[in-house]
Amino acid sequence: MSALLTVTGLGRRFAGGGLFRRRRVFHAVSDVSFSVPHGGVVGIVGESGCGKSTLARLVLRLIPPSEGSIRFDGQDIRGLKRGELRRLRRRMQLVFQDPYSSIDPRYSVRDALLEPFRVQRLPPAEGDATVAGLLEMVGLSPALARAYPHQLSGGQKQRVGIARALALRPSLVVLDEPTASLDVSVQAQIIGLLDRLRRELGLTYLFISHDLGLVRYFCDRILVMYLGRIVEMLPSGAEPAHPYTRALLDSTFEPDPRRRRHITRLSGEIPSGWDPPPGCAFAARCPRATDLCRHTLPALAPVSGDTASGQQAACHHPLI
Ligand SMILES: Nc1ncnc2c1ncn2[C@@H]1O[C@H](COP(=O)(O)OP(=O)(O)OP(=O)(O)O)[C@@H](O)[C@H]1O
Ligand code: SF4
Ligand SMILES: [Mg+2]
């Protein structure tokens, strides 16, 4: 499968400090490379603050990268001008954890669903029919078109957020923790809806979550992030090679007692992005850490010489 999105050596630093203090640099995303095939579902997983949302905003060109390149459908999108970026937004969309964080709370559902057309200066063929079609697509009654956000449940709001993201028929949808604030049963319904829409509309997903169990269920391939870097890339069914991925997996719920092993507790502090350590950022929490780990940054490398599955880990002492 050819790649819809290819990211190479992507990095983003944020400047901090004030006028009289030494200017400091926060390393939010460092040297990230990956690709997403047409029609694929790639997951990004990691603890809070590891850079998932920053990476999403970079990929969508909502913020500029400090370095690296982003190719979307064969086109380098790093240097696009304003008008070109606006046209690109028709083809790549973001779904947030809280869909109404990006929608004016005074908007009705109808206003929210028609806004993407206004922003893109595209007249919807028939406003009411377009809104009804979008609501039906996400399993909502067209009667909800006149509702306001406070009249909707969390699941209904997220369905509106998804309908709005799909209004212009994008190819790539970046889903940033789309179910994190929902009850488990509603979460399952939204995941089912996303799966159906992907198949029906031929969508490609970049799915962000802190829940490795959910990512393994929903995605074909997984990128594991730690302190702004990808520490492992693996097919969703593969055994982890990186101790951090293993620890994340062990801290997710595993109903089958035969599979509960290698229990590693994720304790200890994550180093700061203001002052990343010279070696492996996971060393302070890793039971396998050696002096080599503390002093030398491990590069992503194929696991056990396995190039067929594409599994790679950045670890001096991988588990497999
Ligand atoms: N504009 C900014 N200026 C300075 N630091 C920033 C900025 N945006 C993000 N950061 C920092 O970059 C780091 C990564 O943030 P990001 O929101 O990408 O993490 P995340 O993995 O999405 O976390 P969460 O799971 O909590 O959503 C955080 O420590 C955050 O404070
Ligand atoms: S490089 Fe060393 S400290 Fe880092 S994850 Fe691997 S074994 Fe642990
Ligand atoms: Mg985030």
Side-chain angles (χ1 to χ4, degrees):
M1 258 191 293
S2 62
L4 177 62
L5 175 76
T6 305
V7 162
T8 311
L10 201 62
R12 174 66 204 212
R13 296 179 293 276
F14 293 109
L19 210 53
F20 302 106
R21 281 185 288 155
R22 188 168 63 89
R23 281 194 82 70
R24 300 171 70 206
V25 171
F26 186 94
H27 299 256
V29 171
S30 304
D31 197 17
V32 163
S33 302
F34 67 92
S35 62
V36 183
H38 280 274
V41 186
V42 171
I44 301 180
V45 72
E47 289 164 287
S48 182
C50 71
K52 304 182 295 296
S53 297
T54 306
L55 181 56
R57 291 193 292 150
L58 287 169
V59 160
L60 293 165
R61 279 299 326 271
L62 295 171
I63 55 171
S66 305
E67 65 258 318
S69 74
I70 309 162
R71 292 187 81 77
F72 179 74
D73 216 3
Q75 183 188 19
D76 185 344
I77 62 168
R78 195 182 153 161
L80 292 188
K81 309 250 173 351
R82 220 159 132 184
E84 295 169 319
L85 266 180
R86 197 181 64 238
R87 281 192 292 282
L88 178 77
R89 297 263 147 74
R90 294 178 200 168
R91 302 200 52 210
M92 40 185 4
Q93 285 287 325
L94 178 62
V95 172
F96 300 89
Q97 176 175 339
D98 173 8
Y100 268 82
S101 62
S102 65
I103 304 175
D104 189 325
R106 291 165 303 180
Y107 278 7
S108 66
V109 167
R110 184 182 193 282
D111 296 334
L113 293 179
L114 292 180
E115 194 192 29
F117 296 94
R118 281 197 296 276
V119 170
Q120 290 288 337
R121 300 170 197 166
L122 295 168
E126 216 313 324
D128 288 334
T130 301
V131 170
L134 286 169
L135 288 171
E136 276 172 14
M137 181 179 77
V138 296
L140 291 175
S141 160
L144 279 181
R146 285 187 297 275
Y148 287 87
H150 67 274
Q151 298 170 308
L152 303 176
S153 69
Q156 287 174 327
K157 275 189 211 165
Q158 192 51 287
R159 285 175 193 263
V160 171
I162 292 166
R164 183 175 138 103
L166 299 184
L168 302 173
R169 295 296 149 97
S171 329
L172 175 71
V173 184
V174 179
L175 301 142
D176 192 353
E177 308 253 16
T179 60
S181 55
L182 302 174
D183 292 344
V184 176
S185 61
V186 182
Q187 191 175 69
Q189 291 166 14
I190 297 291
I191 292 294
L193 171 69
L194 289 171
D195 192 38
R196 173 173 68 76
L197 291 171
R198 185 184 68 81
R199 283 182 279 107
E200 287 178 2
L201 304 176
L203 301 168
T204 301
Y205 287 159
L206 191 58
F207 182 85
I208 295 173
S209 175
H210 59 270
D211 181 344
L212 182 55
L214 179 59
V215 168
R216 271 166 65 101
Y217 168 77
F218 190 57
C219 303
D220 316 321
R221 293 188 65 76
I222 304 171
L223 315 176
V224 183
M225 285 187 78
Y226 195 81
L227 200 69
R229 292 181 183 275
I230 293 179
V231 295
E232 182 159 15
M233 307 171 89
L234 69 169
S236 58
E239 277 294 308
H242 197 285
Y244 177 60
T245 315
R246 179 80 258 169
L248 278 183
L249 197 56
D250 288 338
S251 53
T252 61
F253 179 66
E254 173 51 72
D256 182 351
R258 288 164 302 174
R259 301 191 59 174
R260 279 189 220 137
R261 54 202 170 92
H262 299 302
I263 296 299
T264 322
R265 290 199 197 290
L266 262 175
S267 58
E269 292 281 304
I270 304 175
S272 166
W274 291 110
D275 190 18
C280 173
F282 190 56
R285 305 167 86 188
C286 180
R288 297 165 78 89
T290 61
D291 276 349
L292 174 67
C293 306
R294 283 182 274 274
H295 296 115
T296 309
L297 186 67
L300 266 180
V303 169
S304 315
D306 171 12
T307 46
S309 75
Q311 185 170 1
Q312 298 190 23
C315 177
H316 293 301
H317 312 293
L319 297 164
I320 48 175

